[in-house]
């Protein structure tokens, strides 16, 4: 058994204790006390049940209607996912997805703190799903009768002719069997594990994961979902010939990667490297959107002459000279000179950007970024003064950051080899996720800085942050997006170009940061004066006070609002359609209905898109609830 | 030995010690309201000084001025030879030598007890983590709660929290400890456990300045008691002098109300 942190142990004890203490109500007792406790409640219950029944029936009739053309969605899965990305390069998409899936498995393995699932709960799920299927089978209307040409038959009055109820139930025999099997398995499990001794028997989480992945892989090879082709008026499932073209093989690999990642994560969790692997996996999550997009998906064509003559020497120079400078700045006898040097460096770094704007002297963008980063590292240096180990930490960290920044900068500046059919590099879900992730990752630190600025003691920071936040919050997102896609290119100095996507990302990030800042400010205001005084009294500097005492508590308090902002940033990427980008929703709303085979088929695609949006947001929301519970324990 | 001789003897005993805290004509204003009116006092190294007085008399304001949680507008405050000015370096130096314990404990709720104590030694004193942790455990032993190291402050009782707060201040190895009504927010049954820790501390020879209403504590361990009212120090003396033979009428009135 691995060592567990005190929080999860305490949580587990709490969960274990609860069912023993609360007296259990039978189902009838529960119904009576909660749903039918008096006449008014009984009426409300019945009305609610009726509404739920009508809604379920409506959804089922919509989904299973003979008029639905689900094949439009199935045929256009590629368009929905990536739109114009060339099919010959699909292996890149799979590599990117495989990396994310493997990393997800790894993180789940490292962080999951639940050992198992009670078999009784699993049994109730089986019975519940079986019962729900049976209910749906009965609720759904009988199918419409068709004539030999495939047209729906109608009576003389104009209403559709339907088969008899008995015939409908007989037609749905496969659903009945599925419901029956699930319910039986659930009931058997339930009765076998209802005795007092076996009530709390749990299925280990690892075996659940492996069984789940096994079932997922099995269905891949039984149900031919995935890419369909439209050939001579019929839709055929493509047989997988190459990795890039089939969907069975890649998805099998994805599921296996997920399982392997989980296995490795569980192993790391029980090893002594658990702390390091947590940090490592978080860092990978932070870097992977940038690396996957610019390195894998764009497949930059490196000009090795330029790399050798410019990029590599520059990266090395910044890495080594910066390391030397930081080594000097962390000498124990540096004193005030260190602060002065760092301040001068910061002024120089900021001046570089001003100079770039007016075109005074040429300097590569990444050199400007490197100087700015060096200035920040120099400002941090006083915290690393001390023994060799501490100084080495800062210097090695600097070399690592420089390697990463220069690698990515080189990749970003190199043109893509991917042969595009249109102006759009990526569309569909790929674009939506890319924009959402980049915006959230970039706007978060900016938002925190703005919130700190707005609550700062220095009037100039306070004024700048406040006016920034208020101006951005007073403007609709669409106008910010239009401004950045149409107007900003006009303001740029000669010779500087900004891709449409980059312009939009900038605008959206600036917009989102203002809202995040307000959420963080709410958290900052909840920190009592005593916390500041206690931090001062033990001698922390104001940066340490902010980093160790104020921000951790403020961010914890504002988790619900921050997650709300993340979710709305993700959903509002659909506004990208307004400025001409083909996001996920636009593919379903305008691209598919414009195809000659599926003229005007819109509703199916939009329903699927809505479900996928919901899927992602549900995961984010669930995760944030777990996070709240975890960090909330310290507050009690 | 009569009582005034005792005061004189105490003054003699302290006379050859170094000055630890020197306040000269300290003024403090909140808008138009003057909270401190020319407070002048000297606290010697190793002295235990208790400050008492009615609510609003300026006791807390004064003690908070000494590590610059409040800024005084007039007069001088010198702590261990360092004058308190707007110079940030002096403030940081004084704060790392002066420990403070608050009425409301002000522990960091998101950190464990151990992390609460080791934070400043690691980041301000630049101690290695292992050394800081072993010192923190020794301090928890000293305040009598070694078994609570891994818990969060919210899981402890008030008395335990205040003892953690004392350990947190001691972890910086301060030369002066300031206590701002350390027992006022505690349930009666928890006051004793905190006072016991403070008495042990007083006997260890550290310089202490304590704002409190606990007259039993003052009588037992104080070297001198300072009585404040209306932003002024009204009377200073040994506990014997203060409790048996106060000279000022205002002191007599105060004592008659609380004893």
């Amino acid at each position: 058994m691995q060592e567990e942190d005190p929080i999860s142990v305490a949580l587990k004890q709490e969960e274990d204790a609860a069912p023993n203490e609360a007296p259990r109500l039978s189902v009838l007792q529960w119904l009576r006390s909660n749903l039918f406790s008096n006449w008014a409640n009984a009426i409300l219950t019945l009305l609610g049940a009726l509404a739920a029944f009508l809604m379920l029936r409506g959804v089922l009739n919509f989904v299973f209607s003979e008029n639905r053309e689900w094949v439009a969605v199935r045929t256009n899965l590629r368009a929905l996912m990536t739109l114009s990305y060339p099919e010959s390069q699909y292996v890149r998409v799979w590599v990117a997805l495989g990396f994310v899936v493997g990393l997800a498995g790894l993180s789940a393995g490292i962080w999951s703190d639940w050992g198992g699932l009670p078999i009784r709960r699993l049994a109730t799920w089986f019975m519940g799903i079986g019962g729900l299927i049976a209910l749906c089978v009965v609720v759904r209307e009988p199918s419409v009768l068709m004539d030999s040409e495939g047209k729906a038959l109608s009576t003389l009055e104009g209403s559709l002719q339907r088969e008899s109820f008995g015939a409908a139930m007989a037609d749905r025999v496969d659903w009945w069997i599925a419901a029956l099997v699930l319910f039986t398995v659930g009931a058997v499990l339930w009765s076998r594990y209802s005795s007092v001794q076996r009530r709390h028997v749990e299925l280990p989480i690892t075996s659940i994961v492996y069984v789940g992945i096994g079932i997922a892989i099995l269905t891949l090879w039984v149900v031919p979902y995935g890419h369909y082709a439209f050939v001579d008026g019929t839709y055929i499932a493509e047989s997988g010939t190459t990795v890039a073209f089939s969907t069975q093989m890649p998805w099998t690999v994805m599921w296996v990667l997920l399982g392997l990642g989980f296995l490795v994560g569980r192993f790391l969790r029980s090893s002594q490297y658990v702390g390091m692997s947590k940090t490592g996996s978080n860092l990978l999550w932070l870097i992977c959107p940038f690396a996957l997009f610019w390195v894998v998906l764009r497949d930059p064509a490196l000009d090795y002459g330029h790399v050798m003559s410019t990029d590599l020497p520059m990266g090395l120079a910044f890495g080594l000279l910066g390391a030397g400078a930081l080594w000097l700045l962390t000498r124990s006898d540096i004193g005030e000179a260190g602060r002065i040097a760092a301040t001068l460096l910061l002024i120089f770094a900021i001046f570089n950007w001003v100079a770039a704007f007016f075109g005074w002297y040429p300097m590569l963008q990444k050199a400007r970024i490197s100087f700015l980063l060096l200035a920040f590292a120099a400002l941090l240096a006083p915290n690393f003064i001390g023994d060799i180990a501490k100084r080495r930490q800062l210097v090695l960290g600097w070399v690592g950051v420089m390697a990463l920044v220069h690698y990515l900068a080189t990749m970003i500046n190199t043109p893509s080899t991917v042969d595009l059919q249109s102006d759009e590099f990526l569309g569909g879900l790929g674009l939506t996720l890319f924009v959402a992730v980049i915006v959230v990752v970039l706007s978060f630190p900016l938002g925190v800085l703005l919130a700190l600025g707005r609550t700062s003691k220095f009037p100039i920071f306070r004024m700048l942050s406040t006016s920034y936040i208020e101006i951005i919050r007073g403007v609709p997102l669409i106008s910010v997006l239009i401004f950045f896609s149409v107007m900003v290119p006009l303001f740029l100095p000669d010779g500087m170009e900004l891709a449409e996507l980059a312009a939009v990302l900038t605008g959206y990030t600036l917009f989102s940061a203002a809202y995040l800042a307000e959420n963080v400010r709410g958290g900052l205001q909840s920190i009592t004066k005593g916390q500041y005084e206690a931090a001062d009294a033990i001698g922390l500097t104001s940066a340490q006070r902010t980093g160790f005492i104020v921000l951790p508590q403020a961010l914890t308090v504002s988790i619900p609002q921050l997650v709300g902002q993340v979710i709305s940033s993700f959903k509002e990427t659909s506004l990208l359609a307004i400025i001409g980008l083909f996001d996920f929703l636009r593919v379903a709303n305008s691209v598919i209905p414009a195809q000659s085979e599926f003229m005007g088929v819109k509703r199916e695609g939009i329903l699927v898109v809505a479900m996928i949006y919901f899927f992602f947001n549900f995961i984010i929301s669930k995760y944030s609830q777990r996070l709240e519970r975890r960090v909330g324990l310290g507050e009690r | 030995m009569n009582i005034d001789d005792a005061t004189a003897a105490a003054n003699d005993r302290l006379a050859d010690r170094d000055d630890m805290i020197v306040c000269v004509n300290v003024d403090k204003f909140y808008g138009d309201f003057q909270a401190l009116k020319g407070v002048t006092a000297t606290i010697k190294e190793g002295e235990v000084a208790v400050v008492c007085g009615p609510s609003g008399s300026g006791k807390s304001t004064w003690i908070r001025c000494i590590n610059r949680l409040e800024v005084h507008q007039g007069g001088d405050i010198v702590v261990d030879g360092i004058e308190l000015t707007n110079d940030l370096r002096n403030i940081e130096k004084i704060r790392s030598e002066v420990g403070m314990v608050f009425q409301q404990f002000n522990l960091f709720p998101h950190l464990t007890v151990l992390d609460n104590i080791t934070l400043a030694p690691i980041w301000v004193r630049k101690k290695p983590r292992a050394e800081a942790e072993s010192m923190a455990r020794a301090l928890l032993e000293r305040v009598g709660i070694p078994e609570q190291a891994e818990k969060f402050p919210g899981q402890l009782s008030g008395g335990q929290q205040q003892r953690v707060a004392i350990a947190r201040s001691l972890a910086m190895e301060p030369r002066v400890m300031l206590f701002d009504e350390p027992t006022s927010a505690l349930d009666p049954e928890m006051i004793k456990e905190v006072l016991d820790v403070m008495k042990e501390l007083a006997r260890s020879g550290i310089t202490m300045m304590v704002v409190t209403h606990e007259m039993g504590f003052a009588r037992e361990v104080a070297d001198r008691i300072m009585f404040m009212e209306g932003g002024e120090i009204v009377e200073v003396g040994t506990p014997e002098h203060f409790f048996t033979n106060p000279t000022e009428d205002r002191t007599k009135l105060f004592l008659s109300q609380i004893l």
Side-chain angles (χ1 to χ4, degrees), chain A residues 408-598:
Chain A
L408 281 179
T410 309
M411 290 299 175
I412 290 170
N413 285 330
T414 312
S416 166
T417 53
V418 175
D419 189 22
L420 293 176
Q421 296 147 334
S422 69
D423 296 344
E424 304 305 326
F425 182 73
L426 201 60
L429 184 62
L431 178 75
T432 295
L433 285 179
F434 174 73
V435 171
V437 168
I438 299 280
V439 164
V440 168
V441 168
L442 293 183
S443 64
F444 193 81
L446 188 60
V448 170
L449 281 181
L450 281 171
L452 289 175
R454 192 166 184 177
T455 51
S456 153
K457 281 189 302 195
F458 299 102
I460 180 75
F461 288 154
R462 208 165 51 222
M463 219 177 63
L464 284 175
S465 309
T466 308
S467 41
Y468 173 86
I469 291 170
E470 292 307 328
I471 288 172
I472 293 280
R473 285 189 349 131
V475 175
L477 175 57
I478 296 181
S479 59
V480 173
L481 293 180
I482 292 175
F483 176 81
F484 272 85
S485 82
V486 180
M487 309 263 291
V488 164
L490 301 179
F491 295 147
L492 289 177
D494 285 347
M496 198 167 160
E497 273 185 41
L498 204 57
E500 168 126 72
L501 189 59
V504 167
L505 280 176
T506 314
Y508 201 172
T509 301
L510 295 177
F511 180 85
S512 169
Y515 281 83
L516 282 172
E518 284 299 274
N519 294 334
V520 174
R521 187 168 71 103
L524 287 174
Q525 282 173 339
S526 73
I527 310 297
T528 56
K529 194 164 159 247
Q531 292 289 311
Y532 288 88
E533 288 179 349
D536 285 342
I538 58 172
L540 296 183
T541 63
S542 54
Q544 289 168 342
R545 185 184 66 198
T546 307
F548 295 136
I549 308 301
V550 178
L551 268 189
Q553 294 185 61
L555 292 180
T556 306
V557 172
S558 40
I559 285 176
Q561 294 90 315
L562 291 175
V563 172
Q565 183 58 36
V566 167
I567 287 179
S568 71
S569 288
F570 176 49
K571 289 186 300 186
E572 281 161 20
T573 51
S574 48
L575 290 177
L576 294 180
I578 300 271
I579 51 153
L581 292 176
F582 285 84
D583 79 301
F584 193 32
L585 182 63
R586 189 174 179 192
V587 175
N589 192 39
S590 354
V591 177
I592 298 178
Q595 293 168 339
S596 56
E597 313 90 295
F598 307 117

Side-chain angles (χ1 to χ4, degrees), chain A residues 102-123:
Chain A
L103 192 56
L106 186 76
S107 303
I110 294 175
W111 292 93
S112 74
D113 54 357
W114 38 314
L117 185 73
I119 293 188
R120 268 165 67 94
R121 198 184 300 168
L122 198 68

Side-chain angles (χ1 to χ4, degrees), chain A residues 7 336 382-383 385 390 529-531 533-541 544 548-549 552-553 634-636, chain B residues 64 67 69 89 92 95 98 100 102 106-111 119-120 122-124 126 152 154-155 168 172:
Chain A
I7 295 180
E336 203 57 12
N383 291 324
I385 293 175
K390 242 176 181 168
K529 194 164 159 247
Q531 292 289 311
E533 288 179 349
D536 285 342
I538 58 172
L540 296 183
T541 63
Q544 289 168 342
F548 295 136
I549 308 301
Q553 294 185 61
E635 303 289 327
R636 290 192 312 200
Chain B
R64 288 158 59 83
N67 66 351
L69 290 180
R89 276 167 302 169
E92 278 173 15
R95 279 180 179 163
V98 178
M100 175 125 185
F102 299 88
N106 292 346
L107 292 176
F108 306 128
H110 62 301
L111 300 177
L119 184 69
I122 290 175
W123 288 93
V124 181
K126 316 281 184 200
F152 286 95
Q155 296 167 306
R168 179 175 71 180
M172 288 294 283

